Amino acid sequence: MKERILQIVSEAKQSIASADSLDKLNDIRNLYLSKKSELMSFMSHMKELSKEEKAAFGQLINTSKNDINAALESKKEELAKKALEEKLEKEKIDITLTPRNYLRGSKHLFTTIVDEISDIFTSMGYQIVEGPEKETDHFNFELLNVPKDHPARDMQDTFFIDDNNLLRSQTSPVQARVMLSKHGVGPIKIISPGKVYRRDDDATHSHQFGQIEGLVIDKNVSLGDLLGTLELFAKKMFGEKRKIRMRSSYFPFTEPSVEVDISCFECGGKGCSLCKGTGWIEILGAGMVHPHVLEMCGFDNKVYQGFAFGIGIERTAMLKFGVDDIRRFYTNDLRFLKQFDKE
Ligand code: DAH
């Protein structure tokens, strides 16, 4: 009997060792350890044995049972571990793979132009200053020589928040803000890019657009300085061969006021559809700071002079890249934006 029991244990251990699934392990457990198993059936012989034999036999059955159980448990653990490893292997994510359909963003044309213009002026020693988009009537108009009921207000009708607060119609109020912050002591040499708002909406005008204001205040500043500055800007922005010309114009806050044209970069000045046959393209408004504006903003106009200019951001980009409609800047059509992805 004892030999048979030891044989059963060794048989059981062999089948456990070769089992390759938890199901098979369960079958083996039933075969060797259930009540009806051969091993357990030996229990019924207990009563035929003497007291001493009973103890030894009981112990043998118990250790055999424990041996088989231990083998089953360790195999079970081994199989579970293997199953987990296989699962992890199958579900592995390779984080070094580049994701497909990866869409990279790029600078908006508007930002590219602001950066380009800013670079040109900072290289000439200008500082960049920002002003608020929500302005007061006082800064947007009155300090710029446009009192209430002045006809120049018509050209810049904007969005009023109440009688005194509005969305600025130009970046020019930054001139007044900077001058007042200097308490009459120059020099000042700034540009100020930002958004402005007007009651406009067509292919070349939008209710929201960008401007870059420029202001220089110092002793002995002349129209010649303005001309030289803008000529350099035109060449850097539109090509070394560009010439500029000034035509007299009117802005309430400058005297004299000028409209600045560049020689057409499409036809070189011969006349084409871009320059409407004139050979010249208007790029910005400028002038010498009006003595009254200097005075209102705390500067002695007998000691200080200055020049100012205002550049349209979208207009510059439209000219440079042949964009036909200002609204393309705001509709976020990727086919448009991608054309200016230089990165
Ligand atoms: N603020 C003017 C406009 O929006 C543009 C402008 C013209 C600004 C002449 C200036 C300037 O600083 O001197 O139409």
Side-chain angles (χ1 to χ4, degrees):
M1 218 162 20
K2 191 178 168 190
E3 279 86 73
R4 179 61 197 143
I5 291 176
L6 293 177
Q7 205 185 354
I8 291 174
V9 174
S10 113
E11 265 175 37
K13 283 188 174 170
Q14 261 175 29
S15 2
I16 291 169
S18 60
D20 57 4
S21 76
L22 291 172
D23 280 350
K24 279 196 188 142
L25 220 51
N26 237 354
D27 293 344
I28 296 171
R29 182 189 296 276
N30 281 335
L31 185 65
Y32 289 98
L33 296 178
S34 69
K35 280 194 183 123
K36 286 180 189 144
S37 66
E38 197 184 346
L39 186 65
M40 292 303 141
S41 69
F42 284 121
M43 299 290 270
S44 53
H45 297 297
M46 290 277 267
K47 51 186 178 299
E48 297 155 20
L49 302 172
S50 71
K51 212 175 171 193
E52 296 80 49
E53 283 172 326
K54 241 188 215 166
F57 186 73
Q59 212 171 25
L60 177 66
I61 299 267
N62 257 341
T63 40
S64 306
K65 210 170 93 180
N66 288 345
D67 271 6
I68 298 175
N69 245 333
L72 280 167
E73 281 311 308
S74 92
K75 186 69 180 182
K76 194 172 147 188
E77 238 174 68
E78 186 192 314
L79 287 175
K81 203 171 147 202
K82 213 172 115 199
L84 180 68
E85 272 165 14
E86 276 169 14
K87 195 173 164 212
L88 288 177
E89 186 63 31
K90 248 193 272 165
E91 292 176 1
K92 205 156 134 188
I93 299 168
D94 184 352
I95 55 162
T96 64
L97 267 183
T98 321
R100 272 169 279 168
N101 300 326
Y102 171 62
L103 280 180
R104 189 174 44 83
S106 59
K107 250 192 223 175
H108 194 283
L109 176 57
F110 185 94
T111 314
T112 305
I113 291 289
V114 172
D115 288 352
E116 254 181 65
I117 298 177
S118 301
D119 281 352
I120 295 172
F121 283 102
T122 49
S123 77
M124 290 191 252
Y126 284 69
Q127 283 186 324
I128 299 175
V129 179
E130 284 191 354
E133 285 171 34
K134 174 177 161 265
E135 257 303 0
T136 58
D137 187 280
H138 186 61
F139 276 99
N140 195 76
F141 291 123
E142 288 181 21
L143 284 176
L144 297 170
N145 235 2
V146 187
K148 293 227 164 27
D149 304 321
H150 192 288
R153 285 196 179 214
D154 279 356
M155 289 187 301
Q156 296 199 8
D157 195 7
T158 182
F159 302 91
F160 279 81
I161 294 155
D162 55 40
D163 281 352
N164 293 315
N165 291 287
L166 45 84
L167 293 182
R168 66 178 179 187
S169 60
Q170 49 187 350
T171 43
S172 305
V174 184
Q175 290 189 29
R177 288 188 173 274
V178 174
M179 278 190 263
L180 284 169
S181 77
K182 293 285 183 180
H183 304 288
V185 184
I188 294 171
K189 205 171 173 186
I190 60 109
I191 56 163
S192 184
K195 285 186 228 130
V196 302
Y197 303 85
R198 288 190 202 173
R199 266 199 57 190
D200 278 338
D201 188 21
D202 63 34
T204 52
H205 297 89
S206 162
H207 63 279
Q208 177 202 300
F209 60 104
Q211 283 188 336
I212 296 191
E213 194 75 14
L215 175 71
V216 172
I217 304 277
D218 208 344
K219 294 166 185 167
N220 303 318
V221 176
S222 74
L223 200 65
D225 297 317
L226 174 64
L227 186 73
T229 303
L230 294 179
E231 194 165 58
L232 198 103
F233 163 70
K235 285 182 192 298
K236 292 219 170 164
M237 200 66 196
F238 295 101
E240 281 303 317
K241 294 209 177 111
R242 299 287 67 76
K243 291 193 201 86
I244 67 165
R245 74 173 184 189
M246 285 176 170
R247 284 178 289 117
S248 69
S249 182
Y250 171 76
F251 297 104
F253 40 87
T254 44
E255 182 61 36
S257 301
V258 293
E259 211 77 69
V260 178
D261 300 339
I262 54 169
S263 55
C264 181
F265 47 82
E266 193 74 18
C267 63
K270 284 188 225 93
C272 67
S273 62
L274 183 67
C275 59
K276 298 188 187 88
T278 64
W280 295 95
I281 298 173
E282 181 191 321
I283 54 160
L284 54 86
M288 299 304 291
V289 180
H290 198 291
H292 191 212
V293 172
L294 280 169
E295 191 187 298
M296 281 190 288
C297 295
F299 274 80
D300 183 343
N301 58 24
K302 305 249 164 20
V303 181
Y304 283 100
Q305 306 81 40
F307 64 74
F309 52 89
I311 306 170
I313 294 169
E314 290 88 344
R315 183 171 162 72
T316 307
M318 287 168 84
L319 281 174
K320 187 161 171 166
F321 296 106
V323 179
D324 60 347
D325 192 322
I326 194 170
R327 289 167 289 206
R328 296 203 195 286
F329 284 84
Y330 312 113
T331 44
N332 281 336
D333 185 336
L334 285 179
R335 291 169 303 179
F336 171 72
L337 298 174
K338 282 276 156 207
Q339 295 176 53
F340 306 102
D341 179 359
K342 289 199 284 185
E343 281 138 45

